[in-house]
Amino acid sequence: MSIKIQTNVDYEKVCNELGITVDELLTLVKDKDKHLSNKKEKVLFLHVLDEYRVNLRKLMEHNRRSETTLTTYLNFLDRVKAVVINKYANLCIDHITEDLLYEILENAKPRKADILMQNTLNKYAAILRSLLGFAFERGYTKKDLRYKLSIRKTATLPRYLNDEQVEQVLQGVIQKTYGYRKRAMIIFLWGTGCRISELTNIRVCDFNINENLIFIRKGKGKKERYIPMFPEVKKQIIKYLKISGVKEWRTDMKGYLFAQDDGLVRERKVLERSMQSLVRGLFDGIGLNRDYTVHSFRHTFAVKCLKAGIREEYLMQILGHEDPQTTAIYTKLLPIDLQEQVMKHYPFPFEKLLNELM
């Protein structure tokens, strides 16, 4: 037995305003689920990708992501789009799977090292997960499909340089054009633990030689902090400033500390990609593989601090970490350093004991 629902809506008036008949309205209501279902099934991956790409900058700003992250996302999405256009032009958004991710990476011809590194796979999976989340929020999928792409935990080791490698880098960089500036940037990264985005945005007035403090304007998530100025870093940066046209430091100097134009104005900051290219060339020159990046100077600083006995909670503040587990990564040593520490502090004369037992 059907239940009649009474309503005060004048359906004939509504239909007249819409320019349709009552029968057409009833047909539309009956078929609404079928129409919606068909629409969602026919949403192409390429359509969602293009819309997601257009909105990506706003999404990044909302989530406080850096320009470097935005560039990474865009470059990967371009690679994905090229493969999908070539092989899967009619791919629907809800057909994305982990197997397809691996196939896309294989066809997109990433660096060989990328395929071997789980961290890199996690990064690309996270980008596609973000896209699937966007599709669900926009109503292109019936349910959230991010679960299809898993993020696997990996045992992360810091990629840091030993003293000999740092010396080789400093010797190599001084031979470059504007070597005085590039050497100063390397020393700054190595002696402060700053991120590359923080280095390129720092102003002359932020390098407060009176207070021996460095003001970090734009850290990760656009957070600000002060970090200590180590004496050798201070000495080297003051030397660089004098060479580049700043004879006397003042609090009103708003130009970039590391600028492409020397002098007092310093309006053209050094670009991140230029620094990345410089470091890649230096690392290639001393045989460091692509696991090592500009960020390796940050790792080197952190490991050096911990080896020197600085407490983790203090290092956490210097590096601008919110999660102690992030800082704890730097307590892990590379095998060669771990072996050195074990041999130096071995708890008993093992060799003597072994000879006695033999």
Side-chain angles (χ1 to χ4, degrees):
M1 177 179 179
S2 61
I3 301 176
K4 293 185 178 181
I5 301 176
Q6 298 294 327
T7 175
N8 295 325
V9 176
D10 188 337
Y11 291 108
E12 290 188 358
K13 183 178 179 181
V14 170
C15 290
N16 287 334
E17 291 178 355
L18 295 175
I20 60 175
T21 65
V22 174
D23 289 338
E24 288 173 334
L25 176 62
L26 291 173
T27 300
L28 179 64
V29 171
K30 289 178 181 178
D31 293 344
K32 69 179 189 305
D33 292 333
K34 181 174 69 177
H35 290 324
L36 289 173
S37 175
N38 289 340
K39 180 182 179 182
K40 288 181 179 178
E41 288 177 1
K42 293 180 181 179
V43 175
L44 296 181
F45 173 80
L46 287 173
H47 171 75
V48 179
L49 186 149
D50 286 338
E51 188 172 332
Y52 175 71
R53 202 180 187 285
V54 168
N55 288 272
L56 194 53
R57 182 172 292 277
K58 290 182 179 179
L59 294 172
M60 289 289 177
E61 290 175 353
H62 177 73
N63 294 319
R64 296 184 174 182
R65 299 294 184 90
S66 68
E67 284 290 327
T68 303
T69 303
L70 175 62
T71 301
T72 300
Y73 270 58
L74 291 175
N75 288 342
F76 176 65
L77 291 173
D78 287 344
R79 288 164 54 188
V80 170
K81 184 174 180 178
V83 172
V84 172
I85 288 175
N86 186 46
K87 297 189 67 175
Y88 313 100
N90 295 319
L91 177 70
C92 295
I93 184 62
D94 52 359
H95 291 164
I96 293 294
T97 64
E98 198 165 83
D99 288 340
L100 184 60
L101 169 62
Y102 284 100
E103 189 173 348
I104 287 173
L105 289 175
E106 183 179 347
N107 283 278
K109 293 182 173 60
R111 295 191 306 264
K112 185 177 180 181
D114 283 356
I115 301 176
L116 301 176
M117 292 176 61
Q118 186 60 52
N119 284 340
T120 303
L121 293 174
N122 284 344
K123 176 178 68 177
Y124 293 147
I127 296 174
L128 289 184
R129 280 167 62 96
S130 176
L131 186 149
L132 290 174
F134 173 83
F136 178 63
E137 291 174 359
R138 291 299 176 97
Y140 292 132
T141 57
K142 296 178 182 179
K143 58 182 179 178
D144 192 340
L145 300 176
R146 283 177 287 189
Y147 72 91
K148 287 189 172 185
L149 301 174
S150 59
I151 304 293
R152 295 180 175 85
K153 292 185 178 180
T154 59
T156 305
L157 280 175
R159 303 294 179 184
Y160 58 91
L161 284 67
N162 60 38
D163 292 346
E164 182 182 354
Q165 290 166 334
V166 171
E167 184 178 351
Q168 289 174 331
V169 168
L170 292 176
Q171 288 175 349
V173 74
I174 199 63
Q175 307 300 323
K176 303 288 186 181
T177 306
Y178 299 108
Y180 65 93
R181 178 193 302 147
K182 294 170 181 175
R183 181 177 183 274
M185 291 190 292
I186 297 292
I187 289 173
F188 185 88
L189 289 171
W190 177 46
T192 64
C194 283
R195 304 175 178 93
I196 185 173
S197 59
E198 295 169 348
L199 173 137
T200 57
N201 284 296
I202 192 170
R203 310 276 179 162
V204 176
C205 58
D206 299 333
F207 195 80
N208 193 325
I209 62 176
N210 293 337
E211 301 293 335
N212 291 319
L213 289 172
I214 306 171
F215 178 54
I216 304 302
R217 291 176 174 271
K218 292 185 178 181
K220 194 171 184 179
K222 299 186 178 179
K223 298 180 180 67
E224 299 176 342
R225 70 185 188 280
Y226 283 95
I227 62 174
M229 184 187 298
F230 292 98
E232 189 60 31
V233 173
K234 177 179 179 179
K235 175 182 174 182
Q236 294 295 331
I237 298 303
I238 289 176
K239 180 180 178 181
Y240 151 71
L241 284 172
K242 288 180 179 178
I243 296 174
S244 64
V246 180
K247 303 302 181 183
E248 183 181 357
W249 180 87
R250 301 194 311 269
T251 57
D252 62 346
M253 302 187 71
K254 305 298 183 183
Y256 290 104
L257 180 64
F258 300 108
Q260 299 179 55
D261 48 338
D262 290 345
L264 300 178
V265 179
R266 312 173 79 89
E267 292 181 337
R268 298 167 56 225
K269 70 177 181 179
V270 170
L271 301 178
E272 290 184 27
R273 62 176 178 270
S274 297
M275 190 63 185
Q276 290 166 340
S277 177
L278 167 68
V279 171
R280 183 65 263 150
L282 291 168
F283 285 176
D284 286 343
I286 64 172
L288 286 175
N289 63 40
R290 291 186 177 270
D291 290 345
Y292 290 83
T293 66
V294 177
H295 211 66
S296 296
F297 290 111
R298 180 171 167 87
H299 290 199
T300 304
F301 170 83
V303 171
K304 279 285 187 183
C305 285
L306 290 173
K307 280 186 173 183
I310 191 170
R311 288 165 57 176
E312 283 186 44
E313 58 266 35
Y314 297 154
L315 180 60
M316 178 179 169
Q317 293 181 49
I318 294 173
L319 296 175
H321 289 161
E322 290 188 344
D323 187 349
Q325 292 185 357
T326 306
T327 311
I329 290 173
Y330 301 116
T331 63
K332 300 178 180 179
L333 299 178
L334 295 178
I336 188 170
D337 288 330
L338 189 60
Q339 181 187 37
E340 178 186 338
Q341 292 296 313
V342 169
M343 298 305 293
K344 186 187 297 183
H345 303 289
Y346 209 66
F348 56 87
F350 183 77
E351 186 175 352
K352 180 181 178 182
L353 178 62
L354 186 60
N355 287 334
E356 289 176 357
L357 290 174
M358 292 295 288

